[in-house]
Amino acid sequence: MPKILIVGGGYAGFYTAWKLEKWLRPGEAEVTIVDPLPYMTYQPFLPEVAAGSIEPRHSVVSQRRHLKKTSVVTAKVTRIDHAAKTATITPELGEPWEFEYDVIVVTGGAVSRTFPIPGIAENAIGLKSIEEAVAIRDRVLTNFDKASNLPPGPERERLLTFVVVGGGFAGIEVFGELRSFASALLEYYPQLTFDETHFHLIEAMGRIMPEVSLETSHWVIKHLAQRGAEIHLDTQLSSAVDGVIELSTGESFESDLIVWTAGVMANPAIVRSSDLPVEERGRLKARADLRIGDEDDFVPDAWAAGDIAAVPDLTGGGVGGYCVPNAQHAVRQGKLLAKNIVAVLRGEEPKEYFHKNLGAVAGLGIGSGVFQSGKIALTGLIAWFAHRGYHGLAMPSWERKFRVFWGWWNNFWLGRDIVSLSAVQSPRAQFEQFAARPKPPAAAAPAPTGQIASSGSKNGAAKPANEKAGSKADAKAQAEPVAAK
């Protein structure tokens, strides 16, 4: 029975395994998926998680719960030797081992792409994982708590100044959601005012959200400005050392939260540790049928999809001729990839990936959104409903869909949950602070002063009893001759 190894459990990897379970016949192939995390993250929900509109656990999908016929390995693939058809799997605990496969599917996704700007590596946070979204949410809440106890001044202003770098969909969504979140929090902090909260979005290009029309992007800028948020176009971040934001325009201010959303790159930990062909931008070379290779030739039994792969966009709408790295493509590529693998196993020809962009939809906070499909553009409340409806239904499995919609329904009546759980970053701190500890061993008590004097020892240490007796006998022997004289 052929062994299929899927490297990466994101959109493309999860959907490939999910659909293989559906389309493979019993005993036709054995599927193994390897990922450092035991869940798939639905990344379009990360901005809402950061703003407290979605429970974090509801925006992830358990691999073990939903991949019932697939062997799930929670570990990293640290080496792919396709010439020998082996992969090195390295768990967090224990020794690495070699995994032999017949077919490999590389869907390792992407990571945040940063630039060597001073202070970014030390102070910024990305928005690619559920952990980052939760940390952003907790930081906003914690900063409001701290600021409410401070008098007006520079420190209070720094805590209430929030910066997002990158004006793509992810950046605009988290920017709008955080602005909405902060405005809602002011109800619970009477010490703070709206004018004390500052939101800055920094974009190096001359426009935001290239996926929508210029007119729609202008509406977004105007709408966010009316809500007290500032967008800096044609502006680069020069430095963020110690939270001091310095812009290419000469403007400078301080911030305690910097969210980086300025692009992604193919996961280098996987791409650089394999013998599979890579294109100039660091992605795996892929054909339109999702086999690794180029138009002229392909690597047998090797497939790739999602953000890690440079898949040609046959519709002509992609950037540079390739599919853009987003969830819309990754999900559909994963589904087709499963069909193509099954087809090849059965001696059939794979199909080419062809998907025309359905449009773009984004949430900008409670009750506000933007939708673009061709020349049709919607903004405001109706676009917000379209955003939630589309992503709610796109969430894998009815179990997860129900949890997401149920959470939204509860928030409609009860409001957002504004409890900060930042203490989970150091859960043992309180226990360790008050935990009883063994007392140090008692030091030996010093000998009495008189005993030390009678010993005659230069270092003042008491001598044993037999040494004392010997000293008295010697003194008596010395005294007898003197008396005789």
Side-chain angles (χ1 to χ4, degrees), residues 275-436:
D275 57 352
L276 298 170
V278 179
E279 49 97 61
E280 59 273 8
R281 296 191 62 183
R283 297 172 296 180
L284 294 174
K285 288 183 179 180
R287 294 156 49 99
D289 59 11
L290 304 178
R291 287 187 284 196
I292 294 178
D294 52 32
E295 295 180 0
D296 301 324
D297 197 10
F298 64 89
V299 180
D301 302 321
W303 306 77
D307 296 354
I308 202 170
V311 179
D313 190 341
L314 301 182
T315 67
V319 178
Y322 296 100
C323 296
V324 296
N326 62 21
Q328 192 173 139
H329 282 302
V331 169
R332 287 166 176 81
Q333 287 173 9
K335 293 178 180 180
L336 178 63
L337 184 52
K339 287 184 177 180
N340 282 350
I341 291 174
V342 173
V344 171
L345 287 176
R346 296 173 184 172
E348 303 170 5
E349 288 297 316
K351 295 181 179 180
E352 293 186 333
Y353 176 74
F354 184 95
H355 172 68
K356 190 172 183 179
N357 191 0
L358 297 176
V361 60
L364 304 175
I366 300 296
S368 179
V370 60
F371 169 84
Q372 181 87 45
S373 180
K375 295 183 179 180
I376 301 175
L378 301 174
T379 57
L381 181 62
I382 189 171
W384 179 73
F385 277 117
H387 158 74
R388 284 206 161 179
Y390 173 78
H391 286 300
L393 293 175
M395 187 71 177
S397 82
W398 285 104
E399 176 256 340
R400 242 39 190 171
K401 288 180 175 65
F402 180 82
R403 291 182 188 274
V404 169
F405 279 106
W406 183 249
W408 282 336
W409 177 254
N410 287 337
N411 285 351
F412 177 79
W413 297 104
L414 305 175
R416 309 185 221 211
D417 194 330
I418 63 167
V419 176
S420 170
L421 296 177
S422 58
V424 299
Q425 306 300 326
S426 52
R428 293 189 63 255
Q430 186 181 41
F431 178 84
E432 196 172 354
Q433 178 184 358
F434 297 104

Side-chain angles (χ1 to χ4, degrees), residues 170-359:
I172 290 296
E173 282 195 288
V174 72
F175 188 63
E177 290 286 354
L178 289 180
R179 174 67 272 184
S180 174
F181 187 33
S183 298
L185 285 177
L186 291 171
E187 175 187 352
Y188 307 100
Y189 295 88
Q191 308 92 332
L192 307 177
T193 65
F194 180 87
D195 293 336
E196 290 181 292
T197 59
H198 307 283
F199 283 80
H200 298 270
L201 184 135
I202 304 167
E203 171 53 48
M205 305 297 289
R207 61 163 298 178
I208 61 171
M209 305 174 76
E211 298 88 347
V212 303
S213 67
L214 190 60
E215 182 181 359
T216 303
S217 70
H218 287 166
W219 179 89
V220 173
I221 293 174
K222 182 179 178 181
H223 175 71
L224 289 172
Q226 292 172 345
R227 290 164 53 187
E230 186 175 356
I231 296 179
H232 306 262
L233 296 178
D234 292 316
T235 304
Q236 296 180 354
L237 177 63
S238 302
S239 176
V241 176
D242 296 330
V244 179
I245 306 299
E246 296 181 6
L247 305 181
S248 58
T249 58
E251 188 176 356
S252 179
F253 50 87
E254 294 189 30
S255 172
D256 193 57
L257 177 60
I258 306 168
V259 182
W260 182 274
T261 63
V264 297
M265 63 179 180
N267 191 333
I270 296 175
V271 172
R272 296 172 186 172
S273 60
S274 78
D275 57 352
L276 298 170
V278 179
E279 49 97 61
E280 59 273 8
R281 296 191 62 183
R283 297 172 296 180
L284 294 174
K285 288 183 179 180
R287 294 156 49 99
D289 59 11
L290 304 178
R291 287 187 284 196
I292 294 178
D294 52 32
E295 295 180 0
D296 301 324
D297 197 10
F298 64 89
V299 180
D301 302 321
W303 306 77
D307 296 354
I308 202 170
V311 179
D313 190 341
L314 301 182
T315 67
V319 178
Y322 296 100
C323 296
V324 296
N326 62 21
Q328 192 173 139
H329 282 302
V331 169
R332 287 166 176 81
Q333 287 173 9
K335 293 178 180 180
L336 178 63
L337 184 52
K339 287 184 177 180
N340 282 350
I341 291 174
V342 173
V344 171
L345 287 176
R346 296 173 184 172
E348 303 170 5
E349 288 297 316
K351 295 181 179 180
E352 293 186 333
Y353 176 74
F354 184 95
H355 172 68
K356 190 172 183 179
N357 191 0
L358 297 176

Side-chain angles (χ1 to χ4, degrees), residues 81-100:
D81 184 359
H82 190 65
K85 288 194 173 181
T86 61
T88 303
I89 298 178
T90 305
E92 186 174 355
L93 295 176
E95 295 297 323
W97 73 89
E98 298 296 318
F99 184 93
E100 296 182 357

